[in-house]
Structure formats: C-alpha cells, structure tokens
Amino acid sequence: MHQLFSQVLGQKDLSRAGDLFSLEDAEIEDCLSQALDQIKAISCSPDYLTNDNDQAVVEICITRITTAIRETGSIERHSTALVGLWESCLEHNLTPQGESTEDTPHAKIASDITSCILQNYSCPSVMVLAVPVAVRFLQRGNRELSRNMSSYLSLAAIAKADLLAEHTEAITVSVLGGNHMLLRVLPSVYPQQPDTIHRHLGNLTAMMSQLESPEQQHLIRLIQMVAEQHPLMLSPQVSVLVSYLADQSLTEALLGALVDVSQASPSSLVSFLPALRMVGQQSPAFLGHVAKVHSAVGIISEAHAHGSLVYLVSLLGSMEHSFHHTLLLEIRALTDRYPSLLGGCGKDIYRMSNSFTAIARLLGRRLEEKTAAHCRSAPRTLTLPDRRDEIAQICGLSEQRLQLKIQAFEEKLKEAGEEEEEEEEEEVKEEESSVPQRRFSLSQAVREERREMRFNRSKSLALHAVRSRSINSDTGEDSEAVELGIDSAFSSALTDPNRENRQDASGQSGEKDVEEKQGEGDRLFVHLRDNMEAIREFCRDAAQQIPIPEQCVIEDSNRGCVAKLSFSCPLKGHYCLYAKSSFNLTSRQPHLWIHIMLLRLQSKSSVPLCTGDECVQRLASLWEKTQLKGAHSFSMAMTQNATPHRKDLDNLQIQLEEVRFFDLFGYSEEEGGWLCFMCNNPEKATVVNQEGQPLIEGKLKEKQVRWKFIKRWKTRYFTLAGNQLLFRRGKSKDELDDIPIELSKVQSVKVVARKRRDRGLPRAFEIFTDSKTYVLKAQDEKHAEEWLQCINVAVAQARERENREATTYL
C-alpha cells in the first residue's frame, strides 16, 4: 500500500487525508483494493458510529479511491473489494432514526460507492457481483438509496436483462411497495420469468391510476407483452383494463391488448361490448380494435355472431373507407363460421358487388330478413331504422318535403360531377371492350365506391342542413339566410377541400357552419372545437406560470431529441436585457412544449385551428422531428388530452427555476406577457445603470479548495456594479481590491448541488468563467437568492451590452 494511504488509514490521520488528492492516479492504482479492505475494517469497528474523525477519514479516502478507479478504468480489477465494502454496509443500519433526515454513516458509504459500481452496468463481470447486492438494498428502507439503485438497475436491465431475471420476485415486490421507478425493469425480465410476474399481475394492473404518465407507459408495455405471449393470464383483469379506457393516453394500447385477450378468451369480453362500442363512438380512430373484439366474441355462438354482425354491418355503411377492408374481413369470418345467418348466400353477396356500401346494404337486408323470420311469432320485430323517417320526425317535416330537398341536392351533385362522369364513361367503354364477359372491373368498382362515398358524405351534409333549417324556422329565424348558407356548404364540400376563412363582413352564421362541417373529418379540428373553453381557461392560468418561447428548434442529442427554446423580452425598453439577445433553454420535453404552443395559438384564435393551418403545420413538422418508432402522430398526440397535466407544468417550472429563468423574467399583468427584469422594474434599471452604482454588495464566503468535502471558506466583501463583480481581500469594504470577475466572461451561474446530509449547501452557488470557477456562500438561503438574481441580471445585461455594441459596429 502507498505510504500516504498507510499513514492516513493506519493512524486515521485526518490532517493528511486531503494530501491524497495531490497523488497521481497511476501512483496509487495498485493499492486501491488493499485500501478498500482496510476501510471495510474501520467502518465495521464498534465505535465507528460515534467517531466523527474516523467517518471523515473514510469519506475522504473513498472519494479518492473511486476517483482513481474511474480515471484509470480499473473497475474490473478492484470490483471484488469495492463490492465487498458495499455489501458490508447491509450489515448495519441504513435508515435515519427519529426525526433526523441525515443519512447514517454506513448509508453515506453505500451512497458514495453506488455510482462508481453501477455506472459500469454494461460490464458483465462487475454486474455479476453487483446486481445481487443492489437488489438487497431495495428492501432496506432508505428511499434515497433505493431510488439510486432503481435508476441504475433500469439501465442494467437494458444492457443485461438476464442478470436481473433471477431477482424478478424482489423487484416486483419493491414495485408494489411504491418503488414505481422499477416498473421499467419488468418488461425486460418478463420473457425470462413470466410466471413470477403472472402471480402479481392483478396487483400490478390495479395500480395504474396511482402512477405518473411515464410509469404508466412501462406498465402498459408489460401488459402488451403479457397479452401477446400469454393472453389468458389477462382475462381476469379485463374489467380493470376496460375501466382505464377513459384515459385517452392509454386507450389505444389497452384496446390492442384487449383484442389479443378476446382471441384467446372471447367470453371474458362479452359483458363489456357496450362499453367498447361507446369508446368507438367517442373516438372513431379506435373502431378497428372494437370491430375485432366484436368479431372474436361472435365466434362463441350463432346468437353472439348475429349481435356482432348487426353492429359490424352498421359500421360498414357509415365508416371511412380506410376501415372497410378490416370490417369486411371480420364480417366474412363470422358469416363463414355461421352461414345460416345469411341464409347460405353470403358468398353470393360478396361476388355480386365490389362496393363496400352495397355489400353493407345487402347484408343489412339479409340480417333483417333473418331477424324478422325468427321473431315472426313475437309481438315485436327488429328492423333497421330509416334515416329519413328519423329526420322527418325530429324536424317536423313531411316526407314529401324532405324528399324534394334530397332530390334537389342529388341534381346539384350530378351537375357538379358531369365532367368526371364523362371521363369515367369513356374508361368504362374501353374496359368493357377489352373484357366483355366481366360484369365489374376493378377500376370500375373503385370509381363506383368513390362516387358513392362522395355522394353519401355530401348527402349527410344536406340532411344535417335541412334539419338545421327546419329548427331555425320553428324558432322564427330567417330561413332564406340559412338556405344560402346551405348552398354554400354544398358547393364548398364539392369544390374546396381546404379550410379557409370564408366568413365575410356580414358575419353569416351559415358560412361559419361551412367551415365546421368541412373540418369534421379533421381529428385535431374536432378536438380543438370541442375543448375551446377549457383551452382558453388553461391558457389564462398557465400564461402566468409558463412562458411561451419565441423560437423552438428540435435537435438530436446522445439522450434523444431536445427542444432548444429561445425567450426574449417583447417590450425591448431602453435598458432591456433581451432586446438584441435571447435567453436560451434546452429541454428534454419537446412534446410538452409543442403541445403548450399549440394551445396558446388556439387561445388566440376565435375559430378552431385545423391541420391545414400554416402555424399548425409548422408545429407538426417540429413534432415529426421528435418521433420515435411506434409513437403517436401529431394529430393523435395533440388530441389525447385537452390540456397538459398539472404535474407536467410543475416539471417545466422546476426546470425554469433550475436555469434561473425567473431571476431574469417576470410576468407583467399590465402587459399581459413575460418581461425581463429591467423592463419589469424600470425604477431599478435607472439606478443600476448610473455610473458606479452597485446592484448589490455585502459579505460572502469564498471556498478556498475545489474539493467539495474539504470545507475551507474565507469571508470577503463583494460589490456587484457595472460589468464587474468586485471583491476585497478581507471582510471590510475598505480592504484592497482583488482581481475582479468580468461579468461578460461568465458562462453560467448555478446553485451548488444539494445533498441531504449537508444542510448548508443550498446557500452556496458557483460562478463559471472561461478560466476559473468560484464557489461562494451567502449568510442564508434568502441572501443567496438575492445574490443569484442580481448576478444573473448583471450577466445578462453585460451580454446584451456586448450584442448592442456589436450590432452598432456592424
């Protein structure tokens, strides 16, 4: 062992412990394992808990050893001794006693060693030794240690899941005990230990509502894996999973899992079909999943098949074309299984027409006939309702009058599509001449389907307009004005698929209703329209808590996409801190910022935005740059929730506080926006910018040694004025000046990282320049905050001054 290590550890000489840092790493690398064994002997001695000198020596030596191991890359060589010392801490108390929040001496040792060991999660030889010990720490009651272990074990699960698999039971119990961070480990170990997780599956699914959004996604991933590999294990949990469908952020993933369960255990979904139909009605994008569940349930019996067919056929005649193929496959699977449902003519129906809507009509008739024949002896019959009868009853119109309106509209459609019809007829003639025996060509079927879909969509608009006109007539409104609006709706539906602002100066309400009906197929438009009041209320409150960036750029980083945000002061007064420059922030939550920017845009608009708007397209392009495989599209993600969760806004505020944003900006009620410190406080700006007038002055302690654990401070008198932070050599302002800190050269100002065991650290902060780092400490937290704000303001002012001078020079 090195002579200095022998002296410090052998004699427990605290006065020489700091000298260990003067030695080169290579000089002591050979003796690190010996030193660790001696530290273990000292920490296990009976009087260690009460001997402050021994504790200080051990703490300094461990810091020096772990530093040397990291710098020399010798973790594998010394892992046995390091893990041995780490494991010995488990033999002692690790939980703070009574009301004290300070870590116990052995908890401090374990905490200092943890990162040195587990940062090497990609090194198998180290993890083989470390993982069993790390799992034991999870159950020792120290939350801070447990949190750190969980973070590193999550990384180990990515690199070497097999090392954690044998500890699945302990990890799952820790999750159920409240250590939700470890949820991300369970999907990694599930393929190796499915039975262990199956035993706890009920308790795991029941805790969904207690979790934060990121933790929910890990649990969802686990549920998806169970549904894919062992779907029967989820059948007892169907009622719980269905209850979570109301959360839009979970709906898509849970429906996918329920589809898998329905294939293996269709009877477990029978009683939940009404709830699933309601989900499909509220969110048409999920109707494909709902249809698959109905199809699976229909296989149980002919009675179940009939009920499922009625629902699926009703969708086939009303859904968008993109869903038709999926629906037809599910319908055909049921009719092939139970041919008697269609009187044995199912295949003939599919051959007779290439139009999905025509098939829907034929299937509907057959189902009606089947139901009527079955129920002929009963007092009631099941028939599909006629849409026109329903509208006539609601609107108080006679059948004859309604029919006239529809016929008039059909004529308008025929006139508008005359040219297209002529072209299609020519193509049909060519095809018929080439293949005379074939009743329908594929292209002809596609044209027929497109024509029928276009007619049905426009017809729906017409019927809705007729109903609106009748209601307005009953209430005494001018029916002619509404009629003009209806005509505009028809022509726009045919000729102008893009959303434009067509509401003229006369403010015709019918024009605006052109516009809303045009956006019905736009998921984002419908969502924003239905939540406009909630969005405005959210933006009114959030505007005073979270600023909206002036610019947002998405960039890749080693840890994923980040948003680079820029904030400036809109007032740009004479002493403005950000007239020519910007406050820059890098955030790892680009999705949240994009969502907030969209809501702000909507709150400023009197009409709902849609995906065709230029400002929305710009946000969508930012979103696409952040996309991961399998992630939601922009429209899907923006419509999951009306507004962000409170906890997400709190996280943004915390990040803004960490970068000292609120030192430099404040919300102005008068201006209705975020202004810089100087524009918000013009009276201070005038005083501060007087020559020689200090912004703040007083005593601060300066750290004399860069090592954090060596507490040597010197009190000095500091003055912040102009472009400099001046400080004296002594405590008095009359002392001689030392070399000042040029504020224009300051790179950043940060609070010193806080540790639970050192209550004095929140008062300390660091000033980073291009050549030196200063660690200063104020009298208390209040004074530290004052100094931090003033220094940040002065630094921003110095940078702004340089930018203005550069602009003037150019």
Side-chain angles (χ1 to χ4, degrees):
M1 187 185 298
H2 192 278
Q3 180 181 359
L4 186 55
F5 258 125
S6 297
Q7 179 180 347
V8 172
L9 291 173
Q11 302 176 15
K12 301 170 188 175
D13 188 352
L14 182 59
S15 64
R16 297 294 310 277
D19 296 339
L20 290 171
F21 291 90
S22 63
L23 302 176
E24 294 292 331
D25 295 324
E27 191 177 351
I28 58 174
E29 196 270 328
D30 291 336
C31 67
L32 296 182
S33 290
Q34 290 176 279
L36 287 167
D37 291 338
Q38 193 160 347
I39 290 173
K40 179 179 175 181
I42 295 172
S43 66
C44 291
S45 62
D47 65 336
Y48 181 73
L49 293 177
T50 58
N51 193 321
D52 293 340
N53 182 79
D54 289 5
Q55 293 176 22
V57 168
V58 166
E59 186 177 355
I60 293 173
C61 289
I62 287 177
T63 302
R64 184 65 188 99
I65 290 170
T66 54
T67 301
I69 288 175
R70 278 193 293 266
E71 294 297 326
T72 58
S74 56
I75 182 64
E76 292 184 88
R77 179 179 179 185
H78 303 293
S79 58
T80 301
L82 196 60
V83 173
L85 174 59
W86 198 38
E87 187 174 21
S88 70
C89 297
L90 289 166
E91 301 172 6
H92 303 275
N93 178 46
L94 300 177
T95 307
Q97 300 298 307
E99 297 180 358
S100 174
T101 58
E102 187 175 357
D103 284 335
T104 65
H106 292 93
K108 293 178 181 178
I109 294 176
S111 179
D112 291 340
I113 295 175
T114 295
S115 61
C116 182
I117 295 176
L118 295 183
Q119 278 179 349
N120 298 276
Y121 56 85
S122 59
C123 182
S125 62
V126 176
M127 288 297 102
V128 167
L129 297 173
V131 166
V133 178
V135 171
R136 291 172 61 192
F137 274 105
L138 295 175
Q139 303 168 355
R140 293 306 302 273
N142 188 303
R143 291 185 178 180
E144 186 69 17
L145 274 175
S146 179
R147 186 182 66 81
N148 289 336
M149 297 295 172
S150 301
S151 178
Y152 285 114
L153 286 175
S154 301
L155 296 173
I158 297 173
K160 286 288 180 181
D162 54 322
L163 293 177
L164 289 169
E166 62 184 280
H167 305 287
T168 302
E169 178 70 24
I171 291 171
T172 306
V173 170
S174 182
V175 168
L176 294 173
N179 189 1
H180 299 157
M181 187 180 293
L182 276 176
L183 271 168
R184 69 182 66 187
V185 176
L186 296 184
S188 299
V189 300
Y190 176 72
Q192 288 86 9
Q193 294 287 334
D195 294 337
T196 303
I197 292 179
H198 290 165
R199 288 196 296 271
H200 299 282
L201 201 55
N203 292 329
L204 287 170
T205 54
M207 65 191 296
M208 183 76 75
S209 58
Q210 308 167 18
L211 304 177
E212 303 287 331
S213 182
E215 297 159 352
Q216 285 182 337
Q217 297 308 313
H218 296 304
L219 181 54
I220 284 292
R221 178 60 188 140
L222 177 64
I223 291 172
Q224 288 175 318
M225 293 180 70
V226 177
E228 292 167 2
Q229 300 175 28
H230 301 92
L232 284 175
M233 301 308 301
L234 278 175
S235 58
Q237 316 305 328
V238 168
S239 60
V240 178
L241 297 180
V242 171
S243 69
Y244 296 142
L245 290 176
D247 187 339
Q248 293 184 350
S249 63
L250 307 177
T251 306
E252 185 174 13
L254 288 178
L255 280 175
L258 289 172
V259 170
D260 291 333
V261 175
S262 70
Q263 305 297 323
S265 176
S267 58
S268 62
L269 273 297
V270 171
S271 58
F272 301 101
L273 292 183
L276 294 177
R277 287 196 288 269
M278 185 62 69
V279 172
Q281 182 179 348
Q282 295 172 349
S283 303
F286 302 137
L287 279 171
H289 293 86
V290 176
K292 290 178 181 178
V293 174
H294 276 75
S295 177
V297 171
I299 298 296
I300 297 175
S301 68
E302 186 171 342
H304 287 93
H306 183 274
S308 294
L309 270 178
V310 171
Y311 175 67
L312 295 177
V313 170
S314 70
L315 294 182
L316 186 60
S318 61
M319 284 181 60
E320 292 182 7
H321 183 71
S322 57
F323 288 98
H324 285 170
H325 184 68
T326 299
L327 281 172
L328 199 58
L329 289 176
E330 304 301 336
I331 292 172
R332 185 153 193 173
L334 289 178
T335 55
D336 288 348
R337 180 69 176 268
Y338 299 104
S340 60
L341 285 172
L342 300 179
C345 61
K347 293 183 178 178
D348 294 334
I349 291 176
Y350 297 123
R351 290 194 192 102
M352 279 168 26
S353 177
N354 287 319
S355 168
F356 290 116
T357 49
I359 291 175
R361 285 196 299 271
L362 293 172
L363 289 172
R365 287 181 197 149
R366 287 294 181 184
L367 288 173
E368 287 179 37
E369 293 169 3
K370 177 73 174 175
T371 304
H374 180 73
C375 302
R376 194 163 291 149
S377 59
R380 61 175 183 174
T381 58
L382 176 65
T383 58
L384 295 178
D386 190 323
R387 182 70 177 168
R388 292 175 297 175
D389 288 344
E390 176 189 348
I391 295 172
Q393 290 173 359
I394 294 173
C395 301
L397 294 174
S398 66
E399 174 64 21
Q400 182 179 6
R401 185 179 174 188
L402 180 61
Q403 188 63 35
L404 288 174
K405 293 293 181 183
I406 294 174
Q407 289 175 357
F409 173 59
E410 289 174 356
E411 291 175 3
K412 184 180 289 290
L413 280 177
K414 290 177 182 177
E415 292 173 3
E418 187 175 355
E419 292 182 3
E420 184 179 350
E421 292 287 341
E422 291 176 358
E423 293 176 1
E424 289 177 354
E425 287 175 4
E426 290 177 3
E427 292 177 7
V428 170
K429 289 179 181 177
E430 293 175 4
E431 290 173 358
E432 287 179 347
S433 62
S434 61
V435 190
Q437 298 87 357
R438 187 175 180 183
R439 183 174 182 183
F440 288 99
S441 68
L442 180 60
S443 60
Q444 184 180 358
V446 172
R447 287 195 301 275
E448 179 188 327
E449 173 66 12
R450 188 185 302 123
R451 194 162 51 241
E452 190 163 7
M453 285 177 62
R454 184 171 65 249
F455 175 78
N456 286 339
R457 281 197 298 268
S458 301
K459 184 174 178 180
S460 297
L461 281 173
L463 295 177
H464 178 82
V466 169
R467 179 191 299 179
S468 302
R469 180 173 183 265
S470 175
I471 294 173
N472 291 336
S473 298
D474 292 340
T475 56
E477 294 182 11
D478 183 1
S479 59
E480 288 301 316
V482 178
E483 185 65 26
L484 289 173
I486 293 168
D487 290 340
S488 300
F490 296 159
S491 60
S492 297
L494 291 170
T495 62
D496 186 9
N498 298 317
R499 178 183 180 272
E500 298 177 1
N501 184 13
R502 293 180 292 272
Q503 189 171 7
D504 58 23
S506 62
Q508 291 181 339
S509 61
E511 290 285 338
K512 186 174 181 181
D513 187 61
V514 169
E515 194 166 296
E516 290 185 356
K517 282 299 164 186
Q518 186 67 33
E520 284 292 347
D522 187 335
R523 180 188 183 96
L524 182 65
F525 172 89
V526 173
H527 172 79
L528 294 176
R529 181 196 63 191
D530 295 343
N531 294 279
M532 283 188 75
E533 285 306 317
I535 291 171
R536 286 198 183 101
E537 183 178 353
F538 166 80
C539 289
R540 277 195 299 270
D541 297 337
Q544 302 182 29
Q545 304 166 31
I546 304 294
I548 302 299
E550 186 179 65
Q551 186 178 16
C552 175
V553 178
I554 303 298
E555 292 186 0
D556 288 328
S557 71
N558 294 332
R559 295 174 60 187
C561 287
V562 297
K564 293 204 168 182
L565 310 169
S566 299
F567 303 86
S568 65
C569 178
L571 200 58
K572 304 192 186 305
H574 183 66
Y575 295 116
C576 183
L577 298 178
Y578 293 102
K580 299 292 184 182
S581 57
S582 298
F583 180 93
N584 298 316
L585 166 66
T586 300
S587 173
R588 298 196 180 277
Q589 295 178 289
H591 299 105
L592 183 54
W593 282 106
I594 292 172
H595 191 188
I596 290 175
M597 286 189 282
L598 174 67
L599 297 182
R600 183 57 182 269
L601 285 174
Q602 180 58 70
S603 70
K604 297 293 185 183
S605 174
S606 59
V607 295
L609 301 175
C610 73
T611 52
D613 291 331
E614 185 179 355
C615 58
V616 175
Q617 289 177 347
R618 286 199 294 268
L619 291 178
S621 67
L622 290 178
W623 181 273
E624 289 169 2
K625 293 178 182 178
T626 70
Q627 282 289 65
L628 298 174
K629 185 177 181 180
H632 286 316
S633 66
F634 175 74
S635 293
M636 179 70 75
M638 293 299 103
T639 55
Q640 294 297 305
N641 297 293
T643 60
H645 295 297
R646 179 68 257 177
K647 59 178 180 279
D648 294 328
L649 296 182
D650 291 342
N651 290 336
L652 290 189
Q653 275 196 305
I654 290 171
Q655 185 182 8
L656 290 167
E657 288 173 356
E658 288 175 350
V659 297
R660 312 301 298 182
F661 176 86
F662 299 111
D663 287 350
L664 299 164
F665 286 88
Y667 184 79
S668 170
E669 293 280 357
E670 182 179 354
E671 296 293 333
W674 289 80
L675 306 184
C676 73
F677 176 85
M678 290 300 185
C679 292
N680 250 338
N681 302 276
E683 70 287 350
K684 292 185 179 180
T686 304
V687 174
V688 168
N689 284 276
Q690 291 178 1
E691 190 66 30
Q693 182 68 31
L695 184 58
I696 190 173
E697 57 183 340
K699 296 178 183 177
L700 295 173
K701 292 183 177 180
E702 181 189 10
K703 207 169 194 301
Q704 301 296 297
V705 184
R706 69 186 182 97
W707 304 106
K708 292 183 179 179
F709 55 84
I710 300 178
K711 300 177 181 178
R712 297 178 185 171
W713 300 86
K714 182 177 180 180
T715 302
R716 292 187 169 189
Y717 195 89
F718 288 79
T719 302
L720 181 63
N723 192 34
Q724 294 181 328
L725 178 61
L726 307 166
F727 54 100
R728 319 296 181 187
R729 294 180 180 176
K731 301 179 183 180
S732 170
K733 66 184 301 182
D734 298 326
E735 295 277 352
L736 295 175
D737 290 347
D738 210 328
I739 301 174
I741 301 174
E742 296 292 334
L743 298 179
S744 58
K745 297 180 180 179
V746 172
Q747 297 173 342
S748 63
V749 183
K750 297 182 181 178
V751 177
V752 173
R754 181 175 184 173
K755 292 184 180 179
R756 258 172 48 185
R757 61 173 177 262
D758 193 338
R759 297 178 182 176
L761 281 177
R763 296 180 291 159
F765 54 92
E766 295 174 297
I767 301 176
F768 298 89
T769 68
D770 51 1
S771 59
K772 188 176 180 181
T773 300
Y774 299 86
V775 183
L776 307 175
K777 184 165 67 175
Q779 178 182 348
D780 52 35
E781 290 187 30
K782 180 182 177 182
H783 286 84
E785 286 294 320
E786 291 178 357
W787 274 98
L788 277 167
Q789 180 174 27
C790 290
I791 292 174
N792 275 312
V793 168
V795 169
Q797 191 175 31
R799 291 174 181 168
E800 178 68 16
R801 188 180 294 114
E802 284 192 344
N803 285 331
R804 291 189 181 190
E805 291 173 355
T807 302
T808 303
Y809 175 76
L810 291 173

